[in-house]
Amino acid sequence: MNDANLLYTDVETALQESVRDLLTDRCAPEKVIATYDGDRELQPKLWRSLALDLGLAGLLVPEERGGAGASAREAAAVLEELGRFAAPVPFLTSSVIATEALLRAGDDALLATVAGGERTAAVVVPFSTSPDELRATVRVDGQGALRGRVTSVAGAVDADVLLVPVEVADGVELHAVEAGAARITPVVSLDMTRQLADVDLDGASSTRVVEDGGDRAVRAALELGAALMASEQLGVAQWCLDTTVGYLRDRTQFGRSVGGFQALKHRLADLYVMTESTRTAARYAATTAADDDPDRHVAALMAKSYCSDSAVRAAEECVQLHGGIGMTWEHPAHLYLKRAKADQVALGNPQATRRRLGEVVDLPMPTT
Amino acid sequence: MNDANLLYTDVETALQESVRDLLTDRCAPEKVIATYDGDRELQPKLWRSLALDLGLAGLLVPEERGGAGASAREAAAVLEELGRFAAPVPFLTSSVIATEALLRAGDDALLATVAGGERTAAVVVPFSTSPDELRATVRVDGQGALRGRVTSVAGAVDADVLLVPVEVADGVELHAVEAGAARITPVVSLDMTRQLADVDLDGASSTRVVEDGGDRAVRAALELGAALMASEQLGVAQWCLDTTVGYLRDRTQFGRSVGGFQALKHRLADLYVMTESTRTAARYAATTAADDDPDRHVAALMAKSYCSDSAVRAAEECVQLHGGIGMTWEHPAHLYLKRAKADQVALGNPQATRRRLGEVVDLPMPTT
Amino acid sequence: MTTEETVRADLKTRVDALLEAHDPATVERLDFLRAQFDAGLAWVHFPEGLGGLGLSRAHQTYVNELLAAAGAPDNDPRRNGIGLGMAAPTILAYGTEEQKRRFLRPLWTGEEVWCQLFSEPGAGSDLAAVATRAVRDGDTWVVNGQKVWTSSAHKARWAILLARTDPDVPKHRGMSYFICDMTDPGVEVRPLRQITGEAEFNEVFLSDARVPDAHRLGAEGEGWKVANATLMNERVAIGGNATPREASMIGFVAHTWRTRPELRRPEAHDQLMSLWVEAEVARLSGTRLRQKIAAGQPGPEGSGMKLTFARLTQQITGLELQLLGEEGLRYDDWTMTRPDIVDFTGRDPGYRYLRAKGNSIEGGTSEILRNIIAERVLQLPAEPRADKDIPWKDIPR
Amino acid sequence: MTTEETVRADLKTRVDALLEAHDPATVERLDFLRAQFDAGLAWVHFPEGLGGLGLSRAHQTYVNELLAAAGAPDNDPRRNGIGLGMAAPTILAYGTEEQKRRFLRPLWTGEEVWCQLFSEPGAGSDLAAVATRAVRDGDTWVVNGQKVWTSSAHKARWAILLARTDPDVPKHRGMSYFICDMTDPGVEVRPLRQITGEAEFNEVFLSDARVPDAHRLGAEGEGWKVANATLMNERVAIGGNATPREASMIGFVAHTWRTRPELRRPEAHDQLMSLWVEAEVARLSGTRLRQKIAAGQPGPEGSGMKLTFARLTQQITGLELQLLGEEGLRYDDWTMTRPDIVDFTGRDPGYRYLRAKGNSIEGGTSEILRNIIAERVLQLPAEPRADKDIPWKDIPR
């Protein structure tokens, strides 16, 4: 689509500002770093403010179904800010991925509680799952209870309700499980700002959310997740660029501003260009998703490929160009490195994504 | 092999000096550039001096079979100098590839004339052929004459005798054909310093050089060609580095030596490190070939992969860092760019080579 | 009617009048173009009397549509890119009334082609280092020096020329800007052949070339300021129009991959797709840039676009040669020619590969663009330099 | 007998005598080590009386072989790397006789561990910018400042310390080099936690720490010269020994690829093999470097090796996490620990990925190494700088 609007609307800018103000206030880097030592004090209050006070929980849900009636573009704008703060909140997992699954599944009762921020939801798949590689491994036993275990699930730690793809004879159903009915074991994660968990569902009772096409709903949800995570990755890259430029401008070595050394200037210029391209890819994915444009699938794959790698590169350059200080626990750079690297692997890694894209745009990898 | 000697022996250094002296004298860049306009006046005399006066034609041939009895290491040392001058002589095609085929085939009569520099030979395969992708397309017709046409053959323009892999019922034979018996049509080539030709063999009479295992002989010849072309690529990279460093040191812009601008310094430092690694890869391939070390196949594949890409990168940086002047016909930089790019594609491109290497070192590409 | 409708109605009336008085079907092409200029319909954003009507630039599109629909000839702008894109706006901004009247009409009609005499062998990225000397001799200037990278010099009637008029002041202050007659006996044009084999550009040798002081543009010593205005106009040109997916260099490789399955290799696929993604993101970034400009948020992204474009064309053409294998070892033609119009894509893959190398040099090297981004966008310190405040003649060279 | 054989025979006699007088099976470890030192068999290239015999460094290998064969204890050199590798040669070169006698024996035996107080928050790549002040008070110095990146500080008895003693002269001339007592009440050591979660290094705060002038190493104001000697010894250590193929970081990925076919993806193969080739070329470049040194052609390639090593460990570990997919999202342990010995590879892939980021920073950043190669090897001009000839106190900070 050549006429997709790739700029920010006034509404989006205002939304970003309000999110940014709240995060500046309540999401200080030292508190985020503390999550790595198991201090999760920050999260519940922060998420409540975002979900309820700012009404972000139901951003993607139409007003008539209990939400704010915004589009993927606004959700992307929010994710950009969340990425900029490496904020440890389940917006992506609950308000984007799980919400999209519920929207597709058509369970309006459950959807309304999630949209209202009363309950937080998570789709129970390994976070590394790419939309086209979804495999349901959970089954229903003779007693009607679930059997199965799913590892490395994002958002489960924060969830009140779990959405589980369940394999049945003739396809995949989507079931809702109360978090209390499953054994959720938090996992020491590379990115503790989105801590994963292993979810053991053996014996859990569940409610069927959708009978047929549960896989389609989850795939669509994961695709939207990847498309909008690109904006989170943009936020990460932008923070890394801004912070590095600021640091090098201020730091003096050899009697000169370090930011004046040409080799570093050129790397920062390249990083700037890359970050602007990241914005293009992320905005295009968000816009085509918002418009349900036929190009949304290509856009999502492009965004996952491009923004995954660029966020990692920005974070790696940020650590390197900070020198020793960027290697320390106290400096927030590592939050972004870990988030960027985990996001790269999540929802389909860039190489697998490009292979899939080749099929979609008629440039297939040949069979060997 | 951890004990392969990767340095230059005194003999190799002396050989390089004599080659360099001769090329400095007789292979001026403007004459090499003239080959692009069809002026091939330089070649015959230059090749005669190298082949006969310096005795390079038979370098790889044992003394008892009419040659100089040197090894692949010395041939590599020579190729490094030839690469440094982008010299338009058939050393690689006749004295390395065709000679190795004859050594393997065991035709000592023909070998002796090639080793003595009286006749120049070429193996008739497309220059892009990688050792493991050899396909013989020429056949013998009912009258005992050859039938077939081979395109983009390196060295054919300079050859007196052509070595043709011929497909027969139970394998591949190697045939010798007088150049006059074939129709050799020079091709406008990306690298005119090693101009290719299309060779039409229809109706040509031929002598069988080896009956069984002609493919093995040619494969071994192409592998040695790739292993030693790495040293030619090293010579190309070294010239590009040296010339660029010299130019930037001397050139003044903004009142400063351009070589003092840090972004360029860092790129040149990286280029230096890469060129030294290129030397390692090239020397290792030459040494393991000289010693018939079991690791020679791995070494050849590594060298083709690494040195192909590094020579191209060095040449591309050379053009870029020279600015406008490097884009002109008069400046010799383009000779090296074209040579590097053609060498990269020749004898198996780097990606195909790495795929093959994966099989050899038990890191196979999975089937899709 | 809105203002816009009024303007359009008026333009329609003027175009109709022009077409009625000069029927494109019968009148000579040049006569038509002259009449179009005199009617103010050449570039409507120019002032009245100089080919325009003092309107906004966007209205010209409407005029062109009307004229094209009527089968009117155009002025073949690609043949006089430097004249139209760089010389004309500079003359308009800095020229005397007499200069404007003399030069703009034949420039626009294409009767007089223009070229640019700025770059020198020793003044590439550092354009302010021009060493070509102009020495005053009464009311003319005597010019000596060498210029390079001059396209269309062998077809040009006039050149915009940057020369040093005062070596005793710092480099940026001692230059003046002239209009040079390319038919002057002191001007010698030699083709400058490139690595592709052809000669897109020229070298121009100035040996006691004479330029009347009346052909000076801007004040004496103000050449740097005038030249910068010219270069700004060059940069505006970059960006261009919306293009469809795969319309750029990536389209060639994609076409090869689709139509020639025997060349597909799994080991090349990830690189192909990485470049495809980058090319598509670059294309969409162009769209975003145009949207920003349209929304009144012009930014410095043009430099970034050019950087990306150069890198991608180079990487893509490099991959193309590898994919093609044997065909990549061949070339179409090394014969020296002097093409009228540059076409990055029109020839074979080897040509595209070589020509793409120039993309990161011409119109500002990638290195200079990175400096610009770092200093102007990211506000990082400028390079230390020792050539700003000392007289030109004392700068080490 | 050749000279070499004579030397070896003599060493054998001395080792036998040592072993006879101090049976490793019965004597205390520390007693044995002290006796070994006193027998000149600690570091035979040191002078007699200081643990050595004035022989070449290579002979120590022979001594160590004999001692190891007899079951003798070693001095566990990894526990005192800074002491043995940096402090000892510096004390030998610049120390007074008294300093040598006091410090070298317990240093070598490991009774006293050493650390290094060089880097500061504001003096990273620009080490000569150290701001830690040492002010003379009679025959002691009072030291105030902050040091970082100090490994083993919490175990060290002594530190080599670089401090500014004269702020009124240019930066390189106003520093002195001291031996600092880490048990001084003015020395506070705090663990410095890294992005891996652990604290390999420390920060050291010096608050009126007192250093006797007798513990100054080298002349007052000559600290920069002495520190450079120390750093030279650090660089010598890089290079190491011959390693087999795939012994470095690439071995982990190769092992994963071979043993876990379900993780293999065709689209990752070219990148895997590119890195494999680069790793193998780097390994062989190490061999070539050692051959050059053995042939008496030492070169500056050590800097290049370190650059390549850092880049490759980073790229390889980055690929590893992607290959592992879901497993790459997990981590072994974020608990803060203070490891005795650094191990780049001993933990899980996530740790390797994060720890590798330090390889291009510690021991000279990759940026500084590129400067060194450009200036010392390629003879390109140094960076313009304004801090060399003005008094330290006037340099902008």
Side-chain angles (χ1 to χ4, degrees):
Chain A
M1 295 296 298
N2 280 322
D3 53 357
N5 174 16
L6 301 175
L7 309 183
Y8 298 91
T9 63
D10 292 345
V11 170
E12 287 157 7
T13 303
L15 180 60
Q16 286 188 316
E17 278 166 13
S18 62
V19 173
R20 194 180 309 173
D21 287 348
L22 193 148
L23 293 171
T24 304
D25 212 32
R26 311 251 192 110
C27 190
E30 58 273 17
K31 290 192 188 164
V32 181
I33 292 170
T35 62
Y36 278 81
D37 286 322
D39 178 355
R40 290 177 55 81
E41 189 202 319
L42 171 71
Q43 276 108 325
K45 267 176 146 171
L46 179 61
W47 176 228
R48 212 170 309 127
S49 300
L50 287 162
L52 298 174
D53 303 351
L54 294 188
L56 301 184
L59 203 62
L60 279 175
V61 178
E63 289 180 42
E64 65 274 19
R65 295 169 83 177
S71 80
R73 286 179 57 103
E74 287 79 22
V78 168
L79 278 161
E80 188 179 331
E81 292 309 309
L82 296 176
R84 208 191 284 260
F85 286 80
V89 291
F91 180 79
L92 179 69
T93 49
S94 181
S95 313
V96 176
I97 298 176
T99 295
E100 177 75 1
L102 290 172
L103 279 166
R104 300 261 171 179
D107 185 330
D108 278 16
L110 182 50
L111 181 63
T113 66
V114 174
E118 297 147 50
R119 312 189 76 200
T120 299
V123 171
V124 179
V125 296
F127 194 39
S128 51
T129 308
S130 75
D132 55 302
E133 285 177 337
L134 175 68
R135 283 180 309 150
T137 56
V138 178
R139 286 172 179 71
V140 183
D141 68 12
Q143 280 69 48
L146 298 183
R147 287 286 154 207
R149 185 164 176 274
V150 183
T151 49
S152 307
V153 177
V157 174
D158 307 279
D160 305 300
V161 58
L162 304 171
L163 300 177
V164 185
V166 175
E167 189 182 24
V168 291
D170 53 350
V172 173
E173 298 176 346
L174 189 63
H175 286 224
V177 176
E178 290 300 307
R183 274 172 301 282
I184 299 174
T185 313
V187 162
V188 180
S189 307
L190 180 64
D191 174 16
M192 289 294 279
T193 66
R194 180 147 54 218
Q195 190 176 12
L196 308 178
D198 294 341
V199 179
D200 187 342
L201 294 154
D202 277 352
S205 64
S206 65
T207 321
R208 202 155 59 191
V209 176
V210 63
E211 192 162 343
D212 190 27
D215 49 350
R216 278 199 304 279
V218 173
R219 275 200 201 102
L222 295 178
E223 182 183 294
L224 184 66
L228 300 195
M229 190 162 73
S231 285
E232 180 181 300
Q233 291 164 323
L234 166 62
V236 168
Q238 187 74 57
W239 183 90
C240 291
L241 172 65
D242 295 346
T243 306
T244 308
V245 167
Y247 177 73
L248 294 186
R249 217 192 274 129
D250 292 347
R251 183 169 171 84
T252 298
Q253 293 267 277
F254 306 106
R256 287 170 56 187
S257 159
V258 177
F261 284 96
Q262 198 191 37
L264 308 189
K265 284 165 67 175
H266 280 203
R267 279 162 72 172
L268 291 171
D270 284 339
L271 218 51
Y272 165 80
V273 172
M274 186 193 73
T275 304
E276 287 303 307
S277 296
T278 305
R279 189 181 321 283
T280 296
R283 291 267 87 196
Y284 186 66
T287 303
T288 51
D291 298 348
D292 199 16
D293 186 293
D295 208 33
R296 65 181 293 176
H297 310 291
V298 168
L301 293 163
M302 285 202 305
K304 183 68 183 73
S305 166
Y306 192 88
C307 304
S308 289
D309 287 343
S310 64
V312 169
R313 189 174 139 210
E316 290 182 343
E317 282 289 76
C318 175
V319 169
Q320 176 64 24
L321 295 176
H322 273 77
I325 188 77
M327 281 293 289
T328 63
W329 191 259
E330 282 70 27
H331 194 282
H334 66 99
L335 298 175
Y336 297 85
L337 179 65
K338 292 161 186 174
R339 172 66 71 94
K341 194 67 193 174
D343 278 3
Q344 183 187 43
V345 174
L347 300 173
N349 83 40
Q351 291 179 326
T353 302
R354 287 191 287 270
R355 184 170 160 203
R356 172 78 189 126
L357 178 62
E359 291 162 20
V360 175
V361 300
D362 187 26
L363 293 168
M365 177 184 278
T367 50
T368 48
Chain B
M1 295 298 295
N2 280 321
D3 54 356
N5 174 16
L6 301 175
L7 309 183
Y8 298 91
T9 64
D10 292 345
V11 170
E12 287 158 6
T13 304
L15 180 59
Q16 286 188 316
E17 278 167 15
S18 63
V19 174
R20 196 180 308 174
D21 287 348
L22 193 148
L23 293 172
T24 304
D25 212 33
R26 310 252 191 109
C27 189
E30 58 273 18
K31 287 192 189 161
V32 181
I33 293 170
T35 62
Y36 279 80
D37 286 323
D39 179 354
R40 291 179 53 83
E41 189 201 318
L42 171 70
Q43 276 107 325
K45 267 176 146 170
L46 177 62
W47 176 229
R48 214 172 305 127
S49 301
L50 288 162
L52 299 174
D53 303 351
L54 295 188
L56 300 185
L59 202 62
L60 278 175
V61 178
E63 288 181 42
E64 64 274 19
R65 294 168 85 176
S71 81
R73 286 178 58 102
E74 288 79 19
V78 168
L79 278 162
E80 189 178 330
E81 293 308 311
L82 296 176
R84 208 191 284 259
F85 285 81
V89 292
F91 180 79
L92 178 70
T93 48
S94 180
S95 313
V96 176
I97 297 175
T99 294
E100 177 75 1
L102 290 172
L103 280 166
R104 300 263 172 176
D107 185 330
D108 278 16
L110 181 50
L111 182 63
T113 65
V114 173
E118 297 147 49
R119 310 189 78 200
T120 299
V123 171
V124 179
V125 296
F127 194 40
S128 52
T129 308
S130 76
D132 56 301
E133 284 177 337
L134 175 68
R135 283 181 307 149
T137 56
V138 177
R139 286 173 179 71
V140 183
D141 68 12
Q143 282 71 48
L146 299 182
R147 288 285 153 207
R149 184 163 176 274
V150 183
T151 49
S152 308
V153 177
V157 174
D158 308 279
D160 305 301
V161 57
L162 303 171
L163 301 177
V164 184
V166 175
E167 187 181 28
V168 292
D170 53 351
V172 173
E173 298 177 346
L174 188 63
H175 285 224
V177 177
E178 290 300 309
R183 275 170 303 282
I184 298 174
T185 313
V187 162
V188 181
S189 307
L190 180 64
D191 174 15
M192 289 294 280
T193 67
R194 181 146 57 218
Q195 188 174 15
L196 308 178
D198 293 339
V199 178
D200 187 342
L201 293 153
D202 277 352
S205 63
S206 65
T207 320
R208 202 155 57 192
V209 175
V210 63
E211 193 163 340
D212 191 26
D215 48 351
R216 278 199 304 280
V218 173
R219 274 200 201 100
L222 295 178
E223 182 182 294
L224 184 66
L228 300 195
M229 190 163 73
S231 286
E232 179 181 299
Q233 290 164 325
L234 166 61
V236 168
Q238 188 73 59
W239 184 90
C240 291
L241 172 65
D242 294 346
T243 305
T244 308
V245 167
Y247 177 73
L248 293 187
R249 219 192 273 128
D250 292 346
R251 182 168 172 84
T252 299
Q253 294 266 276
F254 306 105
R256 288 170 56 188
S257 158
V258 177
F261 283 95
Q262 198 191 36
L264 308 188
K265 284 166 67 175
H266 280 204
R267 279 162 71 172
L268 291 170
D270 284 339
L271 218 52
Y272 165 80
V273 173
M274 185 193 74
T275 304
E276 287 303 306
S277 295
T278 304
R279 188 181 322 282
T280 296
R283 289 266 88 194
Y284 186 66
T287 303
T288 51
D291 298 346
D292 199 17
D293 186 292
D295 208 32
R296 65 182 294 178
H297 309 291
V298 168
L301 292 164
M302 284 203 304
K304 183 67 182 72
S305 166
Y306 192 88
C307 304
S308 289
D309 287 343
S310 65
V312 168
R313 188 173 139 209
E316 290 182 343
E317 283 287 77
C318 176
V319 168
Q320 177 65 24
L321 295 177
H322 273 77
I325 188 80
M327 281 293 288
T328 63
W329 190 258
E330 282 69 28
H331 193 283
H334 66 99
L335 298 175
Y336 297 84
L337 179 66
K338 292 162 186 173
R339 171 66 71 95
K341 194 68 194 173
D343 279 3
Q344 184 187 44
V345 173
L347 301 172
N349 82 40
Q351 291 180 326
T353 302
R354 287 191 286 270
R355 184 170 159 201
R356 171 81 187 124
L357 178 62
E359 291 162 20
V360 174
V361 300
D362 187 26
L363 293 168
M365 176 184 279
T367 50
T368 48
Chain C
M1 286 208 291
T2 64
T3 318
E4 177 63 23
E5 284 166 345
T6 314
V7 171
R8 286 193 160 224
D10 174 60
L11 283 172
K12 178 90 173 63
T13 308
R14 287 171 190 264
V15 169
D16 287 345
L18 170 68
L19 290 167
E20 187 160 323
H22 307 268
D23 179 358
T26 55
V27 79
E28 285 281 332
R29 177 176 174 279
L30 206 50
D31 289 336
F32 184 89
L33 292 172
R34 286 173 181 156
Q36 182 182 346
F37 186 92
D38 296 337
L41 296 168
W43 34 34
V44 294
H45 54 290
F46 270 51
E48 289 192 52
L50 294 171
L53 296 166
L55 298 175
S56 84
R57 186 187 288 256
H59 287 112
Q60 188 63 42
T61 309
Y62 176 63
V63 171
N64 289 353
E65 284 165 8
L66 293 174
L67 288 169
D74 75 2
N75 64 342
D76 200 359
R78 294 196 308 173
R79 282 192 58 249
N80 197 13
I82 303 260
L84 292 162
M86 301 173 75
T90 311
I91 292 169
L92 183 65
Y94 288 96
T96 61
E97 281 311 304
E98 203 180 326
Q99 287 169 339
K100 293 177 196 170
R101 305 225 163 263
R102 163 65 189 86
F103 292 115
L104 289 176
R105 190 174 187 253
L107 185 162
W108 186 82
T109 61
E111 285 164 89
E112 291 179 351
V113 170
W114 287 64
C115 69
Q116 176 189 2
L117 299 177
F118 280 17
S119 290
E120 298 180 6
S125 289
D126 183 12
L127 181 60
V130 294
T132 292
R133 283 284 276 122
V135 178
R136 195 189 263 277
D137 177 21
D139 59 357
T140 70
W141 294 84
V142 181
V143 186
N144 282 282
Q146 184 192 346
K147 296 286 182 177
V148 283
W149 305 116
T150 314
S151 54
S152 301
H154 55 299
K155 305 203 165 146
R157 175 68 177 81
W158 300 103
I160 44 180
L161 165 71
L162 190 61
R164 188 156 308 277
T165 45
D166 185 354
D168 295 322
V169 296
K171 62 199 279 191
H172 293 87
R173 292 199 265 128
M175 290 172 284
S176 302
Y177 192 115
F178 299 97
I179 294 167
C180 173
D181 184 348
M182 292 296 285
T183 64
D184 186 279
V187 176
E188 187 197 352
V189 176
R190 293 186 205 158
L192 180 57
R193 199 174 177 188
Q194 290 167 275
I195 66 177
T196 53
E198 64 186 12
E200 250 176 61
F201 300 98
N202 301 277
E203 293 178 292
V204 176
F205 295 83
L206 300 158
S207 311
D208 290 337
R210 297 186 78 83
V211 177
D213 190 52
H215 284 184
R216 178 166 40 72
L217 215 52
E220 207 178 315
E222 300 247 303
W224 183 243
K225 193 174 81 180
V226 183
N228 266 303
T230 302
L231 294 172
M232 282 300 164
N233 282 294
E234 184 180 30
R235 300 243 159 91
V236 166
I238 295 169
N241 295 316
T243 52
R245 182 167 286 170
E246 292 188 10
S248 68
M249 218 49 114
I250 194 70
F252 291 95
V253 192
H255 181 74
T256 299
W257 190 272
R258 288 198 187 102
T259 56
R260 301 187 56 189
E262 78 281 7
L263 294 177
R264 294 179 199 163
R265 295 185 171 261
E267 62 268 23
H269 188 257
D270 192 58
Q271 195 190 355
L272 170 74
M273 292 313 301
S274 289
L275 291 171
W276 192 94
V277 168
E278 285 213 67
E280 178 62 9
V281 171
R283 183 184 76 86
L284 290 165
S285 290
T287 300
R288 193 163 69 88
L289 179 56
R290 278 185 298 278
Q291 290 176 351
K292 284 189 79 164
I293 291 167
Q297 311 162 17
E301 288 92 341
S303 295
M305 291 289 297
K306 183 173 179 301
L307 264 178
T308 303
F309 163 77
R311 180 173 56 76
L312 285 177
T313 59
Q314 291 169 2
Q315 291 179 346
I316 291 166
T317 55
L319 171 65
E320 190 181 9
L321 287 190
Q322 286 199 61
L323 273 185
L324 287 170
E326 186 194 327
E327 288 163 59
L329 295 173
R330 302 167 78 115
Y331 196 74
D332 57 357
D333 190 5
W334 293 117
T335 310
M336 143 92 173
T337 55
R338 301 179 86 172
D340 271 15
I341 288 160
V342 188
D343 184 352
F344 296 160
T345 60
R347 286 174 52 181
D348 80 348
Y351 175 84
R352 288 199 283 275
Y353 173 74
L354 295 175
R355 184 59 186 81
K357 297 286 169 265
N359 295 158
S360 50
I361 297 170
E362 58 205 340
T365 65
S366 289
E367 290 72 31
I368 290 293
L369 294 179
R370 287 192 191 94
N371 274 355
I372 288 173
I373 292 170
E375 293 170 19
R376 299 199 197 153
V377 185
L378 304 178
Q379 302 286 311
L380 292 166
E383 290 301 300
R385 49 194 294 185
D387 64 334
K388 281 209 143 170
D389 302 317
I390 57 173
W392 151 260
K393 63 178 167 42
D394 299 331
I395 295 171
R397 274 185 285 280
Chain D
M1 284 208 293
T2 62
T3 318
E4 178 61 22
E5 283 164 345
T6 314
V7 171
R8 285 191 161 226
D10 174 60
L11 284 173
K12 178 90 173 62
T13 309
R14 289 171 188 265
V15 168
D16 288 343
L18 170 68
L19 289 167
E20 188 158 321
H22 306 268
D23 180 357
T26 56
V27 80
E28 286 280 332
R29 177 175 175 280
L30 206 50
D31 290 335
F32 184 89
L33 293 172
R34 287 173 181 156
Q36 181 183 345
F37 185 93
D38 296 338
L41 296 168
W43 34 33
V44 295
H45 54 290
F46 270 51
E48 289 193 50
L50 294 172
L53 297 165
L55 298 175
S56 83
R57 185 189 288 255
H59 288 112
Q60 188 63 42
T61 310
Y62 177 63
V63 170
N64 290 352
E65 283 165 7
L66 293 175
L67 289 171
D74 76 0
N75 64 341
D76 198 1
R78 294 196 306 173
R79 280 191 58 248
N80 196 13
I82 304 263
L84 292 162
M86 301 173 74
T90 310
I91 292 169
L92 184 66
Y94 288 97
T96 61
E97 281 312 304
E98 204 181 325
Q99 288 169 339
K100 292 177 196 169
R101 303 223 165 265
R102 162 63 189 87
F103 292 114
L104 289 175
R105 190 173 186 254
L107 184 161
W108 185 82
T109 61
E111 284 163 89
E112 292 179 350
V113 170
W114 288 64
C115 69
Q116 178 189 0
L117 299 176
F118 279 19
S119 291
E120 299 180 6
S125 290
D126 183 13
L127 181 59
V130 294
T132 292
R133 282 283 277 125
V135 178
R136 195 188 263 275
D137 176 20
D139 59 355
T140 69
W141 294 83
V142 181
V143 186
N144 283 281
Q146 184 192 348
K147 296 287 183 177
V148 284
W149 305 116
T150 315
S151 54
S152 300
H154 55 300
K155 305 202 167 148
R157 175 71 177 80
W158 301 102
I160 44 179
L161 165 71
L162 191 61
R164 186 155 310 276
T165 44
D166 185 353
D168 296 322
V169 297
K171 62 200 276 191
H172 292 87
R173 292 199 267 128
M175 290 171 284
S176 302
Y177 192 114
F178 299 97
I179 294 169
C180 173
D181 183 346
M182 292 296 285
T183 66
D184 186 279
V187 176
E188 186 198 352
V189 176
R190 293 186 205 158
L192 181 58
R193 198 173 178 189
Q194 290 166 276
I195 66 176
T196 54
E198 65 187 10
E200 250 176 61
F201 301 98
N202 301 277
E203 293 178 291
V204 176
F205 295 83
L206 301 159
S207 312
D208 290 339
R210 297 186 77 84
V211 178
D213 190 53
H215 284 183
R216 180 170 34 76
L217 216 53
E220 206 181 314
E222 298 246 306
W224 182 243
K225 194 173 81 181
V226 183
N228 266 303
T230 302
L231 294 172
M232 281 302 164
N233 281 295
E234 182 180 32
R235 300 246 158 90
V236 165
I238 294 168
N241 296 313
T243 51
R245 182 167 287 171
E246 293 188 9
S248 67
M249 217 50 110
I250 193 70
F252 291 93
V253 192
H255 181 74
T256 300
W257 191 272
R258 288 196 188 102
T259 56
R260 301 187 56 190
E262 77 280 8
L263 294 177
R264 294 179 198 162
R265 294 184 171 262
E267 62 268 24
H269 188 257
D270 193 58
Q271 196 190 354
L272 171 74
M273 293 312 301
S274 290
L275 291 171
W276 193 94
V277 168
E278 284 213 68
E280 178 61 9
V281 171
R283 184 184 74 87
L284 290 164
S285 291
T287 301
R288 193 163 69 87
L289 178 57
R290 278 186 297 278
Q291 290 175 349
K292 285 189 79 165
I293 290 166
Q297 311 163 18
E301 287 93 340
S303 295
M305 290 289 298
K306 182 172 180 299
L307 263 180
T308 304
F309 164 75
R311 181 174 56 76
L312 285 177
T313 58
Q314 291 170 0
Q315 291 180 346
I316 291 166
T317 55
L319 171 64
E320 190 180 10
L321 287 190
Q322 286 199 62
L323 273 185
L324 288 170
E326 185 194 329
E327 289 163 60
L329 295 174
R330 301 168 78 116
Y331 196 73
D332 56 357
D333 190 4
W334 292 116
T335 309
M336 144 91 174
T337 56
R338 300 179 85 172
D340 272 15
I341 288 160
V342 189
D343 184 352
F344 296 159
T345 59
R347 287 175 49 182
D348 81 346
Y351 175 85
R352 288 199 282 277
Y353 173 74
L354 295 175
R355 184 59 187 82
K357 298 285 168 266
N359 296 158
S360 49
I361 297 171
E362 57 206 342
T365 66
S366 290
E367 290 71 31
I368 290 293
L369 295 178
R370 288 192 190 95
N371 274 356
I372 288 172
I373 292 170
E375 292 170 20
R376 299 200 196 152
V377 184
L378 304 179
Q379 302 286 311
L380 293 166
E383 291 300 301
R385 50 195 290 186
D387 63 335
K388 280 209 143 169
D389 301 317
I390 58 172
W392 152 259
K393 63 177 165 48
D394 300 330
I395 295 171
R397 274 187 285 282

